[in-house]
Amino acid sequence: MTEIDIEKENKAIAQEYKELLRISYQTLTDSDKKLIRKAFDVAVDAHKDQRRKSGEAYIFHPIAVAKIVASEIGLGATSIAAALLHDVVEDTPITVEDIERLFNPKVAQMVEGLTKISLVQKDLNASIQAENFRKMILTLNDDVRVILIKLADRLHNMQTMGSMREDKQTKIASETLYIYAPLAHRLGLYNIKTKLEDLGLKYTEPAVYHDIVSKIKETKEEQDNYIKNISDVLKASLETEGVEAVIKGRPKSIYSIRRKMRVQGVSFDEVFDKFALRIVYKSNPHDEKFLAWKIYSIVTDHYRPSPSRLRDWISSPKSTGYEALHITVMGPKGRWVEIQVRSERMDEIAEKGYAAHYKYKNGATEESGLDIWLNLLREALENAETNAVDFVEDFKMNLYSQEIFVFTPKGDIKSLPKGATSLDFAFGIHSEIGVRTRGTRVNGKLVPLNYELKSGDQVEVITSPNQKPTSHWLDYVTTARAKTKIKNVLNEDTKKIGEEGKELLTRKLKHLKINLDEKTVNELVNFFKLKTSLDLFYRIGIGAIENQQLKDFASQKSNKFLSFFKNKIKRSNNTHSNEDVNKPVISTNYDTLVFGKEHDKLDYKFSPCCSPIPGDEVFGFVTVNEGIKIHKSDCPNAIGLQSNYAYRIMIAKWIDSSQEEFKAIIKITGMDSLGLTNQLTKVISNNMHVNIQSISLSTEAGIFEGQVTVIVQNNTILKKLILNIKKIEGVDKVIRIYTS
């Protein structure tokens, strides 16, 4: 570079710095400016020999990130300094200790957090990528500002990705759509979310993106005139009523137009609400709600509203803190138009997310404003020991979900993701209430645990100290919190059953004159084709391995020649190590494929295009001539089949038949006696791994007759239950009946 070019670049860097101070959302004190200046000088010096792929000086990147942090996210001096320094530890000889010495522990902690996120291993496969995301999400527990600066960093990288290789662009853009845009949404940063989504689409579906952009340009003049027409009408009425407000036209984001086209299967021209109007009004805190509804009244005097599309987030703000009134009205030429009504305060919160919150909290500091956010987000980070892919999927699901508002019996309001069930509500109150849930009432009526709640429902939870979750509960819930807690309880139960199974196995083997030692456990695990000792003990505990099978094992063991031969095979196949045998995992022998929510068993064939194997994530596709064909979820044909033939797709999943539950009906007759019903239910409840689904009892002239429907895991458990019922005094006959 020539001297003139360097001088020109230095002037541009100085200009950027001035701009950074000028656009800051927070009011900067002299000490704030000194902190930012020092961070700027250190960053300029540290990056002086570095250039980006585009050829420009590297320092322009941290300054751009700091500008997004200062103006669009609205953070203070500490965060602006950390943004300026966010790459120095990773890319230069400066250490975290140097930053702590030069600045303060808070700036050093934030830069260290940002360095940790940058240094996580880049993806080799889905689970490593998920692990990276999990590590990043967990930094929310330390300081949410680290994630906010990371979002600013990601936004600037997306804005300057033009000089990268195409495959790298696609990878970074997919990652952005997968986790960063939903995070921005959850943190209330709607402007940044929209920019990330649009840029993500630009690099993942460039042809679609450019097609929509060109069509928006073509229709821009007509749309501007249309919006001006509505704005002029409303502006005149608002002025007449003495309401001070600004009306802005806002086109829908490119990404949301694309999403509508895909979801509704329509063309660009058929997407009606491609734009919205935003009315931002001046108000003191006392009159905010009153004025919002006054504006609603003015708007609906001119244009007919759609009652089903009214969204009142002023009475019940979103959990991100978003407040607004959304009205969809029928505008001129028969077009639907969304009108958003917000006060200036609400508008700031919508634009700046959490940063605007503490500005409006009297006497609150930046630190105390963070606490509100961390409390909201920690819930999603509970029980982080789950598998990384599940963790990220569940977290992501909760990030993007729309909200509903339901009431407790006392009238307190509770926010839940759209699609949440009455069982989700129970876990939302407290995980211990969720675990003990026996039933739920919605608006006074008993409903199933998987009842989908709607805004305005009043929910009451009925608990029982004896109630425990079953594996079916995982199908009844949608929230990450509920799923994690249910999985934890089920794992605890599995271990408990395993302990009981171990004791039972010791006794059974004693009868067969075999000692239960490590060698025998290894042999049994191999004999039953299992993976770990816990698998073995669990199956003994639930009665899935019967006495005859153990006798078969004993006779095989006594055959010296066979035993020797087996040992040879075992040695060559590297038998389970000590550690593997005691590994606390319950393996799943995926041996049965079931369909739909009812787990129906149907005939099927595997599709040759992706050749699924047991355990793969799959779906069923109903063909015209060949019955149900099974495809992997990531099959190259999956997207085409699911979008063009949605009505022919069947939910399918692999299950372990040894852990499956079955329904059995028992008929009981006998002589009526006091407390018989009580004794009967007690005996059934005390039988482990048996759940009563329904019970009907009747007595006539001293004769008792009852029918009980139970859920059991296998025939052994059922036989044991029938034997115990027969022992009850007064019971004459107990028979299993089969419905035709």
Side-chain angles (χ1 to χ4, degrees), residues 247-258:
I247 302 179
K248 311 171 194 174
R250 189 187 64 89
K252 239 187 173 43
S253 76
I254 299 157
Y255 184 82
S256 63
I257 290 173
R258 167 65 177 145

Side-chain angles (χ1 to χ4, degrees), residues 512 527-528 545-555:
L512 299 166
F527 181 78
F528 290 111
I545 294 174
E546 297 187 2
N547 292 342
Q548 187 53 50
Q549 290 169 287
L550 289 174
K551 283 175 187 168
D552 294 345
F553 165 75
S555 61

Side-chain angles (χ1 to χ4, degrees), residues 418-684:
K418 193 176 180 195
T421 63
S422 54
L423 187 55
D424 281 311
F425 173 85
F427 278 97
I429 299 292
H430 195 283
S431 49
E432 282 313 305
I433 289 175
V435 166
R436 303 279 168 238
T437 300
R438 190 168 162 229
T440 48
R441 278 196 186 93
V442 173
N443 306 326
K445 281 172 69 179
L446 271 173
V447 295
L449 295 178
N450 61 352
Y451 177 86
E452 194 175 313
L453 297 171
K454 294 180 285 298
S455 275
D457 282 343
Q458 190 167 27
V459 193
E460 181 192 347
V461 180
I462 305 154
T463 59
S464 161
N466 303 320
Q467 185 63 49
K468 281 202 306 197
T470 70
S471 56
H472 291 306
W473 280 25
L474 290 168
D475 296 329
Y476 299 163
V477 293
T478 60
T479 57
R481 179 181 188 164
K483 280 188 175 175
T484 304
K485 186 64 187 174
I486 293 165
K487 281 176 190 169
N488 287 349
V489 174
L490 291 174
N491 287 342
E492 282 166 26
D493 278 359
T494 299
K495 284 176 191 168
K496 199 174 164 192
I497 292 165
E499 283 164 23
E500 291 166 7
K502 189 176 182 179
E503 284 176 32
L504 191 60
L505 183 61
T506 308
R507 290 200 300 275
K508 287 185 174 188
L509 290 178
K510 213 170 185 181
H511 283 301
L512 299 166
K513 298 187 171 45
I514 299 171
N515 278 334
L516 184 68
D517 53 22
E518 198 184 303
K519 185 169 175 282
T520 308
V521 169
N522 269 329
E523 288 170 354
L524 281 160
V525 166
N526 283 314
F527 181 78
F528 290 111
K529 296 184 176 65
L530 301 170
K531 287 187 182 173
T532 69
S533 58
L534 181 57
D535 283 328
L536 173 72
F537 301 146
Y538 176 80
R539 280 165 174 74
I540 295 286
I542 63 166
I545 294 174
E546 297 187 2
N547 292 342
Q548 187 53 50
Q549 290 169 287
L550 289 174
K551 283 175 187 168
D552 294 345
F553 165 75
S555 61
Q556 171 259 47
K557 189 176 165 65
S558 65
N559 183 328
K560 295 265 167 64
F561 171 75
L562 190 58
S563 201
F564 170 77
F565 186 64
K566 279 264 180 187
N567 283 336
K568 288 282 271 189
I569 293 170
K570 266 197 285 175
R571 270 197 292 276
S572 68
N573 283 344
N574 286 332
T575 60
H576 298 269
S577 68
N578 221 352
E579 185 191 351
D580 195 29
V581 167
N582 294 308
K583 198 174 163 196
V585 195
I586 191 81
S587 73
T588 311
N589 291 335
Y590 293 114
D591 55 0
T592 306
L593 193 58
V594 291
F595 297 89
K597 285 188 177 174
E598 299 300 315
H599 291 186
D600 295 323
K601 290 176 184 168
L602 306 167
D603 290 334
Y604 59 85
K605 286 177 187 168
F606 290 122
S607 178
C609 60
C610 55
S611 305
I613 59 168
D616 282 341
E617 277 194 20
V618 291
F619 65 92
F621 179 68
V622 183
T623 63
V624 178
N625 298 319
E626 296 181 88
I628 300 167
K629 280 276 185 83
I630 304 301
H631 292 263
K632 280 169 68 175
S633 295
D634 58 359
C635 166
N637 298 321
I639 292 168
L641 292 173
Q642 287 169 334
S643 58
N644 297 323
Y645 306 101
Y647 60 98
R648 282 159 65 180
I649 300 293
M650 294 186 78
I651 299 166
K653 73 172 181 180
W654 293 98
I655 61 163
D656 178 348
S657 60
S658 72
Q659 293 188 50
E660 207 180 344
E661 293 180 324
F662 301 94
K663 188 161 79 171
I665 303 165
I666 304 166
K667 190 179 177 186
I668 308 158
T669 53
M671 291 172 289
D672 191 17
S673 63
L674 195 65
L676 180 64
T677 311
N678 190 25
Q679 237 182 318
L680 181 63
T681 48
K682 208 184 224 177
V683 165
I684 298 172

